[in-house]
Amino acid sequence: MRMRLAVLAIMLSAPAQAAITAARDLPAGTIIAPSDLAWIEEVPGGIDDPALAIGKQARVAIYEGRPVVAGALRAPVLISRNQIVRVAFDCGPLRIETEGRALSEGAAGDVVRVMNLTSRNTISAVINPDGTLVSTSSNTEIK
């Protein structure tokens, strides 16, 4: 019993943790800018380094004054579902490009499924940081 009281006393006397909070309401899909963040010392939880949030996209709405948690952020979406995209297939000096329809959304480095608009085959492709797609399948049929 004394041990529990001692732990509780230490927890209550410890200074509150600081966290990054939203300086305004941030709807889902918002790319976080430095002006969107505020530093609040009385709010526990959330991330404590603004560099972890700046440039990320909000997965869900983050309301003003609420801590920004890592689970609410993701890399910005570069390809959206049903978007017409250009897909490249590289094999040595050979490069084949075709149009496709993205079957899911994704950020840089994600693998998305793409339907080739010519052959109607589904292939997998990696999203490059510039938004282009490169086929990852070694047996891809481009036609």
Side-chain angles (χ1 to χ4, degrees):
M1 183 69 175
R2 283 189 202 185
M3 184 65 132
R4 284 186 185 168
L5 291 175
V7 171
L8 183 59
I10 290 170
M11 289 174 59
L12 293 175
S13 65
Q17 292 180 336
I20 302 298
T21 61
R24 64 179 183 91
D25 288 346
L26 303 172
T30 303
I31 305 295
I32 308 293
S35 61
D36 295 329
L37 303 175
W39 180 264
I40 305 290
E41 292 193 24
E42 298 84 35
V43 179
I47 59 174
D48 58 1
D49 183 6
L52 297 175
I54 296 171
K56 300 283 183 165
Q57 185 175 32
R59 284 185 195 270
V60 295
I62 305 171
Y63 298 103
E64 183 177 352
R66 298 291 211 163
V68 177
V69 294
L73 304 175
R74 67 174 173 193
V77 171
L78 297 176
I79 302 294
S80 57
R81 187 174 186 270
N82 286 327
Q83 180 178 342
I84 302 298
V85 294
R86 197 102 182 120
V87 182
F89 174 74
D90 294 322
C91 184
L94 177 67
R95 181 177 181 91
I96 301 171
E97 292 187 4
T98 188
E99 284 191 337
R101 179 178 304 273
L103 300 178
S104 61
E105 68 180 15
D110 289 348
V111 176
V112 293
R113 295 177 45 88
V114 179
M115 182 180 65
N116 182 329
L117 293 178
T118 306
S119 68
R120 302 286 187 212
N121 287 335
T122 302
I123 60 175
S124 296
V126 175
I127 303 173
N128 290 331
D130 63 357
T132 60
L133 288 109
V134 178
S135 175
T136 59
S137 305
S138 60
N139 59 355
T140 302
E141 183 181 337
I142 300 285
K143 285 191 186 177

